Amino acid sequence: QVQLVESGGGLVQAGGSLRLSCVASGTVFSVNAMGWYRQAPGKQRELVATISSGCSTNFADSVKGRFTISLDNAKNTMWLQMISLKPEDTAVYYCNANIATSWYLVKDYWGQGTQVTVSS
């Protein structure tokens, strides 16, 4: 069993900051990559940022320069530091991880989501 547990969501004013975390636990042999996705009401889930085990990163254009993603391979923990938050950042943020539970079993896992609300 593999579980992803997210935390750090909340309510902030525009221009504020939040730091999200996601911890992968269970039968984790290795984490190939992790990422954050978000879904606002009435919209499809979209990619926010991803990071590989080698620490290569990718960001959505809408968050470049404002969000930072990091990964602690030893702790299987990922963080998303968000600054200069905007109302359009309001969404449920989901943690995603591509995890190997053995040398040959690789699957995608999702967290339960954490609500981020940015007021104007």
Side-chain angles (χ1 to χ4, degrees):
Q1 292 280 345
V2 173
Q3 289 192 335
L4 304 180
V5 180
E6 301 138 318
S7 62
L11 173 64
V12 298
Q13 293 184 335
S17 302
L18 282 175
R19 187 174 188 245
L20 307 182
S21 66
C22 175
V23 181
S25 62
T27 310
V28 179
F29 182 75
S30 65
V31 176
N32 296 318
M34 298 185 75
W36 291 96
Y37 295 74
R38 66 187 182 187
Q39 186 168 18
K43 295 184 178 180
Q44 291 187 325
R45 184 177 59 207
E46 64 176 354
L47 182 148
V48 177
T50 61
I51 185 167
S52 71
S53 60
C55 294
S56 62
T57 60
N58 183 49
F59 295 90
D61 289 339
S62 60
V63 306
K64 287 182 179 178
R66 299 188 298 117
F67 290 10
T68 302
I69 190 170
S70 59
L71 175 66
D72 186 331
N73 288 315
K75 298 180 179 180
N76 294 326
T77 301
M78 174 180 64
W79 292 269
L80 183 69
Q81 180 66 56
M82 306 183 292
I83 65 171
S84 302
L85 284 163
K86 304 174 181 179
E88 49 263 45
D89 294 319
T90 296
V92 177
Y93 284 68
Y94 296 93
C95 174
N96 170 264
N98 185 255
I99 294 174
T101 54
S102 71
W103 283 112
Y104 57 92
L105 288 177
V106 182
K107 296 181 179 180
D108 283 325
Y109 296 87
W110 291 91
Q112 79 289 344
T114 184
Q115 178 71 49
V116 172
T117 302
V118 184
S119 64
S120 59

